[in-house]
Amino acid sequence: MDKLGVAEGLINRRKLLGLASGAAAAGIGLALPELVMAAPFEGLVERARQAGERQVVVAGGTGAYGDLVKKHFYLPFTEATGIEVVPTGGGYGEKLAKLKAMTSVGKVEWDVITLSIDSLTPDVTSLLRDLGDCAGLPDVASQGVDGSCLREGVMFDIGGGVLAFDKRSFPEGQAQPAGWADFWNVKAFPGPRALPNIGNPWWALIAALEADGVSRDALFPLDIDRAFRKLDEIKPHVTVWWKSGDQSQQIFRTGEVVMAMLFSGRAFRLRGEGIPLGISWNGAPLDAAFWAVTKAAQHPNAALALLDFIYTRPKAHAEFAAESFGSTAQRGALDFLTADAKASSVLQPANWSNIVRVDREWLAANREKVLQRWSMWIAS
Amino acid sequence: MRAKPLAGSPFGGRPTSAQEYGPGLSLLLVTPLVLLLVGGFLYPVGKLFWGSVFVPEATFANYARILQEPLFLLVLCRTFEIAFVVTALALLLGYPVAMAMARVSGRTAMLIAACVLIPLWTSVLVRSYAWIVLLQRNGVVNNALIETGLTGTPLRLLYTQGAVIAAMTQVLLPFMILPIYSVVRNIPDDFVRAARNLGAGSLQAFFRVTLPLSLPGVTAGVLITFILSLGFYITPALVGGPGTLMMSTLIGQQTTELLDWPFAGALAAVLLAATLLLVIVFRRALALNKGFKLG
Amino acid sequence: MDGASVSVRGLGKRYGAVRAVKEVGIEVRSGEFLSLLGPSGSGKTTLLMMIAGFEMPSEGAIRIGDRDVTYVAPNRRNIGMVFQRYALFPHMTVADNVAFPLRMRKVVKAEIARRVTDALALVQLQDFGKRLPAELSGGQQQRVAVARALVFEPPVLLMDEPLGALDKKLREQMQIEIKRLQQRLGVTVIYVTHDQEEALTMSDRIAVMRNGSLEQIGSPTELYDNPATPFVADFVGKTNFLEAVCQSCNGTGLEFGLGQSGFIHLKECPPNLPSPPRPGDKMRVAVRPEQIRILRPEDSDSPPLNGVVEAVIFVGSFRTFLVRLAGGELVHVQASTDHGIAHPQEGDRVGLTIPSQAVQVFPERRP
Ligand SMILES: Nc1ncnc2c1ncn2[C@@H]1O[C@H](COP(=O)(O)OP(=O)(O)OP(=O)(O)O)[C@@H](O)[C@H]1O
Ligand SMILES: [Mg+2]
């Protein structure tokens, strides 16, 4: 269970998948914001000590992914602060359901929960502490990529639906696909393609509109009709609509397709296996997990300290990224990456700025409609 | 016994079990099955159907939704279409095999039986993956086609309706062959001989005698294959794409992903009703004369 | 309809190493009723199947009329056939069964209806046309099979133990019906049976088969009175076999000694023997039970054969006496029941005489 698994879990939150989730938690809007304002990390820790908070309960990821998080973040945090991290976890859907249940009986055992950015619907927002502009978490602002603070939490894993292509079909030195317009251009870039069919059809809609020439700031609200018309064009050339991350990797191993929209983590993983993949972040929809503090947390100060802590120590992030084939929102990690990894890292300002963020309000309003239309379109 | 075949059994018969066992014993014998049926089928399925109308409150909204959202009718029609094609193909391919199995003897018979049965003993999952290996872009079929020059670029075979139909037909073929075989094997040679003697060519003898006499087996095989096709889950999921979505996958999505059990119940009820309707129509059509009603 | 002749020459059939039929030659005359008689496994069915065209002969030829049909497909031979288990098509009504050969011959509809009615009337089943075969008794099914085999007026009709499945009474009744039909229609019939009585009753000629070979062919009386081999003598009718030694052969006839049991005297040399027996030759003597006459001791002082009555079996119109000869042989003697006349009882000593012309003599069975 890696960060990719997390990201997929996010998107598949409707499935009660038991995927481990890594997530970024966000700092809290503190009870006494004016005191917090200027406090550096040590101040946050001191505040937790004064409040007698000896531990922080984190509902995070599990499995191999969870172990990596523990190694690179939980244990160093305990070492630095003396505050014990009590890890628990489960799939996103499972965790959300549990949090709702705990909130309704008034006894919330979790201080920090990690969730998919897609799950930030209004009913979920109300369960999480408002962090404002994260002013109380100085390292988030100073070390995080743009937009790391989500108000309900702080980003942790970041990635996206990248355009991945097989360099054996489009070798170096010749024209290579560089964006969704190229994905649609079957004349210049022939060969079978794959797109995800995992319950997040807006990713495909974004790609379609990009391919159709809609400028990035005009994407939202998505022109659904136009997007589906554009999708009709590519449909005959999409031979695989992948249903799982494993499948999305397998189709490149067997050469079933020459290009696809993949979770970035899966694409890096394939590269790690030696499959020569080209990766383009141009217009890739954002896929991120965040860490949040629960509204009724019993150790809110310790939780805030942890959220700030995960934006320090860039080297740990670089190691975590290499081991998990993912990336975190810590900007400084870029300096510790290998040259190869550096170029296609999402942390590259050129890549990060090319990512498309889904408009949460639009999504909340249109999710059901789009899902329904998609299921009909894809089935016929 | 020989001179007077029992009514209902065209080739002579044995005394029915009713003559050998009393009704009390018969009841005892079926009790375990009845319990299993009630506990393992009637109750949960009944509950599912009940839920489709009465949970959370009495409403036909779930059924109305099936009619309103074109997706469900589309998938229902496609499910029947695929089941129909698979059944027809299995019949076309399976009937001659069943005939051959019934006619030959010795080593050849064993070979045919092995070809029919060994796939049956192999997991459906394995057989479906085998089809992936065959049909993928760099798979056996495409490589053969390219090597023989029949095509320049690999054809799109996997994740198509054709792939689903081919794989399902292969998986279900034994269920067509075996019932036909068991009936054809029991048709005495004398019937075909009599037909030939009376002036029928071998084709005529087949169509007028062997075929009608094998209809009970055909009916059984067609029904089993058709019904199994309607509920097929693994194979379409593995070798098909979203364009070959079938009813059971849809129901599966509703129960395990969307947790909408009442709606899943409604879908299942519609599928069951449509299946029953078709089965009844089919049996009416095939029970050509009263000597050959099934069961 | 007129019968056609059937000629079978040098016909043989091998199944691997098994020779089911060996070099059989039979000329069946047109309109003749010929029975193939023989024990189980003697090749009767195989021979019939070759004539019908269901088995390809390994050697030899088959002609029907003046047409060589050895390699003609069964549906083009125009031969009627009644199967042992009738082979009525279970999914067709009686009328459809009977109409089947006519439909195959593309006879027009009205004509079919007429001929089906006629054929069913012929076997007295006019009212059964709409039934299914399973709704008929065994005898009725048998008659439908006959009607179906005859409706297209084939010149030759093959029947493979058609009455084998019926009880004795029904069988006898059907024997008469079939025979009558055959005579009326003039069709040539080849009839397989292993029931010698049936063969004797119905046939113009009988061909006796044994181990795939033709043992003897002839009219019932020929076979009965002059069996060519002990096998025929034994298989057709009942026969007493006695081991005998030729004692003298001269102008007054032949004399066979039976040891302590007595002797048999023949007026002339039996014609079936290739050469007259010489004194000292061991022979087998066959005598039909009804040819032997029982003598009371008072009738003759020195009867040719002596014995004691061991059992008396009453069989309605006649009695069978089991007589133990002095030498130990058991002889069956059959005499018609003369009411009121005294006959020997168990334990009575009796003398036996055998008319000269009733005796068949065969060389001794080779070991
Ligand atoms: N298909 C076959 N393969 C091998 N041997 C066979 C086959 N059919 C018949 N035979 C053998 O040929 C011999 C003659 O068989 P056939 O059926 O002609 O006998 P039959 O005289 O009709 O006997 P029955 O009175 O029992 O019907 C038998 O020894 C039988 O075992
Ligand atoms: Mg026989």
Side-chain angles (χ1 to χ4, degrees):
Chain A
M1 303 280 144
D2 48 25
K3 137 179 141 198
L4 289 167
V6 175
E8 287 157 37
L10 270 169
I11 298 218
N12 267 339
R13 75 184 174 83
R14 303 187 122 219
K15 299 186 180 183
L16 284 182
L17 293 181
L19 284 182
S21 52
I28 339 157
L30 283 182
L32 304 164
E34 69 279 9
L35 283 180
V36 174
M37 282 248 287
F41 170 65
E42 287 72 22
L44 290 168
V45 177
E46 187 52 33
R47 201 177 295 271
R49 281 210 194 99
Q50 283 172 6
E53 295 171 14
R54 288 282 175 73
Q55 60 172 32
V56 55
V57 183
V58 183
T62 55
Y65 172 85
D67 293 343
L68 284 178
V69 175
K70 191 170 171 188
K71 170 175 148 199
H72 292 289
F73 302 103
Y74 294 171
L75 294 180
F77 177 71
T78 305
E79 202 172 302
T81 64
I83 299 173
E84 192 198 349
V85 177
V86 181
T88 169
Y92 288 129
E94 207 179 313
K95 287 197 295 190
L96 264 180
K98 250 193 191 156
L99 179 61
K100 281 178 191 166
M102 289 191 293
T103 307
S104 71
V105 298
K107 188 170 189 305
V108 177
E109 290 162 11
W110 299 339
D111 304 310
V112 173
I113 182 170
T114 70
L115 288 171
S116 145
I117 198 169
D118 263 5
S119 50
L120 271 181
T121 50
D123 61 319
V124 177
T125 307
S126 67
L127 305 173
L128 307 175
R129 182 161 232 162
D130 187 348
L131 300 179
D133 58 358
C134 301
L137 305 171
D139 286 304
V140 175
S142 63
Q143 305 288 310
V145 293
D146 289 349
S148 295
C149 179
L150 294 174
R151 195 179 182 92
E152 293 83 3
V154 296
M155 284 192 192
F156 187 71
D157 312 270
I158 54 172
V162 295
L163 166 54
F165 58 90
D166 194 326
K167 286 186 181 168
R168 288 167 296 196
S169 302
F170 310 110
E172 225 64 76
Q174 297 179 18
Q176 290 181 322
W180 297 117
D182 294 339
F183 189 88
W184 257 253
N185 187 349
V186 292
K187 285 237 171 59
F189 304 100
R193 288 140 158 81
L195 284 174
N197 180 30
I198 49 173
N200 62 342
W202 38 92
W203 280 25
L205 301 190
I206 289 169
L209 291 173
E210 286 254 331
D212 210 22
V214 178
S215 76
R216 200 150 293 160
D217 16 307
L219 280 173
F220 285 92
L222 297 183
D223 184 339
I224 298 173
D225 289 333
R226 182 171 171 184
F228 275 106
R229 270 199 305 278
K230 192 68 181 170
L231 278 168
D232 284 336
E233 276 176 33
I234 200 67
K235 198 177 189 185
H237 305 280
V238 177
T239 55
V240 182
W241 298 89
W242 55 266
K243 295 284 288 178
S244 72
D246 285 334
Q247 189 193 4
S248 72
Q249 280 183 265
Q250 187 62 19
I251 54 180
F252 276 102
R253 293 193 193 109
T254 59
E256 195 67 31
V257 297
V258 300
M259 65 175 97
M261 180 188 278
L262 290 190
F263 284 123
S264 47
R266 293 287 176 173
F268 288 118
R269 201 160 267 254
L270 280 168
R271 270 192 180 181
E273 290 174 15
I275 291 173
L277 278 198
I279 294 172
S280 163
W281 288 93
N282 190 6
L286 172 68
D287 170 28
F290 66 94
W291 294 30
V293 179
T294 59
K295 213 165 223 175
Q298 291 170 25
H299 311 99
N301 298 299
L304 284 174
L306 179 62
L307 259 57
D308 190 75
F309 182 76
I310 59 170
Y311 273 79
T312 62
R313 301 160 52 255
K315 191 153 178 286
H317 285 266
E319 285 163 11
F320 176 77
E323 287 171 39
S324 70
F325 296 96
S327 187
T328 48
Q330 219 282 355
R331 254 187 305 157
L334 194 59
D335 300 332
F336 295 89
L337 294 177
T338 61
D340 191 35
K342 219 173 198 168
S344 43
S345 169
V346 64
L347 293 174
Q348 279 297 347
N351 289 339
W352 182 244
S353 62
N354 264 327
I355 277 198
V356 178
R357 291 170 167 240
V358 178
D359 181 324
R360 274 155 59 187
E361 257 137 57
W362 175 89
L363 185 57
N366 293 282
R367 168 179 241 129
E368 285 313 314
K369 192 171 81 178
V370 171
L371 280 175
Q372 197 166 320
R373 177 141 177 204
W374 173 266
S375 62
M376 183 64 204
W377 179 84
I378 190 98
S380 43
Chain B
M1 222 59 240
R2 251 179 15 177
K4 196 170 182 196
L6 283 186
S9 161
F11 316 132
R14 282 155 260 115
T16 62
S17 55
Q19 290 164 263
E20 283 163 20
Y21 308 106
L25 186 58
S26 304
L27 266 183
L28 206 66
L29 289 172
V30 300
T31 309
L33 182 66
V34 168
L35 288 180
L36 203 65
L37 199 68
V38 170
F41 177 76
L42 287 183
Y43 173 72
V45 170
K47 203 173 159 199
L48 196 63
F49 292 165
W50 173 268
S52 71
V53 181
F54 295 102
V55 174
E57 69 233 329
T59 170
F60 281 103
N62 286 319
Y63 292 88
R65 190 174 149 205
I66 294 178
L67 293 177
Q68 282 155 7
E69 286 183 34
L71 172 68
F72 302 115
L73 286 183
L74 174 86
V75 172
L76 189 68
C77 289
R78 176 184 301 140
T79 303
F80 276 91
E81 180 193 321
I82 290 179
F84 182 81
V85 174
V86 166
T87 308
L89 277 177
L91 181 60
L92 273 172
L93 296 173
Y95 198 99
V97 178
M99 288 287 288
M101 252 173 105
R103 292 278 170 261
V104 301
S105 55
R107 208 167 271 235
T108 331
M110 271 171 53
L111 193 74
I112 301 180
C115 290
V116 173
L117 290 176
I118 289 176
L120 191 63
W121 298 331
T122 313
S123 138
V124 177
L125 205 61
V126 172
R127 281 184 282 169
S128 303
Y129 274 119
W131 276 99
I132 295 182
V133 172
L134 284 179
L135 297 181
Q136 62 194 9
R137 187 150 171 267
N138 297 316
V140 178
V141 174
N142 265 323
N143 286 347
L145 287 178
I146 290 173
E147 250 157 57
T148 53
L150 287 173
T151 170
T153 50
L155 299 180
R156 180 181 178 182
L157 303 171
L158 199 53
Y159 309 122
T160 60
Q161 186 145 326
V164 172
I165 287 171
M168 280 177 66
T169 305
Q170 193 257 333
V171 169
L172 290 172
L173 207 49
F175 296 99
M176 182 65 84
I177 293 176
L178 293 177
I180 298 179
Y181 163 71
S182 75
V183 170
V184 170
R185 190 193 46 182
N186 286 314
I187 301 176
D189 289 348
D190 274 1
F191 287 133
V192 174
R193 288 185 165 164
R196 297 297 311 272
N197 169 259
L198 294 169
S202 42
L203 274 183
Q204 273 174 316
F206 172 76
F207 281 110
R208 290 183 171 256
V209 178
T210 312
L211 184 63
L213 290 182
S214 67
L215 280 187
V218 171
T219 311
V222 163
L223 284 182
I224 294 172
T225 311
F226 188 73
I227 289 168
L228 286 178
S229 312
L230 285 178
F232 237 55
Y233 192 80
I234 296 173
T235 307
L238 286 180
V239 304
T244 61
L245 187 66
M246 285 177 75
M247 211 54 186
S248 49
T249 315
L250 206 58
I251 294 173
Q253 272 176 10
Q254 296 297 326
T255 50
T256 63
E257 289 176 25
L258 308 179
L259 302 182
D260 193 345
W261 285 72
F263 187 56
L267 286 175
V270 169
L271 181 62
L272 182 65
T275 307
L276 282 179
L277 193 76
L278 240 103
V279 166
I280 291 168
V281 168
F282 176 76
R283 284 175 52 131
R284 280 277 150 78
L286 259 193
L288 289 178
N289 68 55
K290 55 185 169 152
F292 271 79
K293 267 189 201 149
L294 246 193
Chain C
M1 89 181 70
D2 274 335
S5 63
V6 177
S7 153
V8 164
R9 283 185 199 153
L11 205 61
K13 176 73 192 176
R14 283 170 223 268
Y15 294 108
V18 182
R19 295 188 70 187
V21 172
K22 301 172 210 163
E23 292 191 27
V24 168
I26 300 175
E27 303 291 327
V28 189
R29 295 187 276 268
S30 133
E32 186 176 27
F33 193 115
L34 179 102
S35 289
L36 294 176
L37 178 66
S40 188
S42 57
K44 310 178 296 284
T45 299
T46 307
L47 180 55
L48 206 69
M49 288 298 161
M50 287 192 283
I51 297 173
F54 301 134
E55 296 286 358
M56 185 60 69
S58 308
E59 64 242 341
I62 303 162
R63 300 179 72 83
I64 293 174
D66 45 14
R67 176 171 169 234
D68 186 331
V69 298
T70 317
Y71 301 107
V72 173
N75 50 317
R76 302 190 186 284
R77 294 194 181 195
N78 206 29
I79 295 175
M81 178 147 186
V82 176
F83 289 80
Q84 192 160 0
R85 259 152 288 180
Y86 319 136
L88 295 179
F89 303 131
H91 57 300
M92 297 183 196
T93 62
V94 166
D96 284 337
N97 262 282
V98 177
F100 189 87
L102 302 176
R103 298 219 166 100
M104 291 303 109
R105 285 166 175 76
K106 309 232 157 38
V107 176
V108 295
K109 246 186 166 180
E111 172 82 355
I112 290 180
R114 189 183 61 73
R115 280 167 70 176
V116 168
T117 312
D118 287 354
L120 286 177
L122 198 67
V123 295
Q124 290 139 45
L125 286 174
Q126 302 80 316
D127 303 331
F128 290 75
K130 292 217 166 61
R131 293 216 198 166
L132 287 172
E135 297 163 349
L136 300 180
S137 75
Q140 288 165 339
Q141 291 181 34
Q142 212 282 330
R143 280 187 273 176
V144 175
V146 172
R148 187 177 71 174
L150 289 176
V151 70
F152 58 102
E153 305 186 348
V156 177
L157 178 62
L158 308 179
M159 303 176 102
D160 188 2
E161 307 203 23
L163 308 179
L166 305 182
D167 62 49
K168 187 167 171 17
K169 196 136 183 222
L170 191 53
R171 194 158 71 218
E172 280 166 4
Q173 185 190 326
M174 289 302 302
Q175 285 169 3
I176 295 165
E177 276 187 41
I178 289 173
K179 182 69 187 166
R180 212 183 271 155
L181 258 179
Q182 185 258 339
Q183 280 167 343
R184 196 167 119 201
L185 302 173
V187 59
T188 306
V189 171
I190 301 178
Y191 189 100
V192 167
T193 180
H194 58 239
D195 179 343
Q196 46 105 7
E197 249 179 70
E198 189 167 283
L200 292 173
T201 325
M202 302 177 76
S203 318
D204 297 322
R205 280 196 301 162
I206 299 171
V208 180
M209 306 266 308
R210 181 193 184 192
N211 289 337
S213 302
L214 182 61
E215 188 89 355
Q216 185 178 5
I217 183 164
S219 70
T221 39
E222 269 164 18
L223 293 187
Y224 193 84
D225 295 337
N226 293 306
T229 64
F231 176 80
V232 176
D234 191 29
F235 202 76
V236 179
K238 264 197 192 117
T239 294
N240 296 295
F241 281 104
L242 299 167
E243 304 296 326
V245 179
C246 180
Q247 284 178 339
S248 64
C249 180
N250 50 37
T252 60
L254 284 155
E255 188 130 320
F256 290 100
L258 290 166
Q260 294 179 1
S261 305
F263 61 88
I264 294 175
H265 183 82
L266 296 190
K267 285 202 184 90
E268 55 195 29
C269 198
N272 69 317
L273 287 181
S275 59
R278 282 166 308 181
D281 281 358
K282 289 190 173 165
M283 310 296 288
R284 292 180 85 199
V285 174
V287 192
R288 302 276 181 203
E290 70 275 14
Q291 308 276 24
I292 304 176
R293 239 169 288 137
I294 294 185
L295 304 171
R296 294 284 187 143
E298 56 269 26
D299 292 341
S300 163
D301 293 341
S302 55
L305 296 165
N306 288 301
V308 178
V309 176
E310 278 200 349
V312 182
I313 302 163
F314 178 66
V315 208
S317 54
F318 57 84
R319 283 188 173 78
T320 297
F321 301 90
L322 303 188
V323 179
R324 179 73 65 185
L325 297 186
E329 302 97 329
L330 193 65
V331 174
H332 289 238
V333 180
Q334 188 178 304
S336 56
T337 309
D338 292 330
H339 289 284
I341 294 176
H343 55 77
Q345 303 291 316
E346 268 174 49
D348 286 358
R349 305 197 112 269
V350 292
L352 303 175
T353 96
I354 301 173
S356 167
Q357 74 281 359
V359 177
Q360 250 78 43
V361 181
F362 304 104
E364 195 197 30
R365 198 192 328 223
R366 262 161 274 276

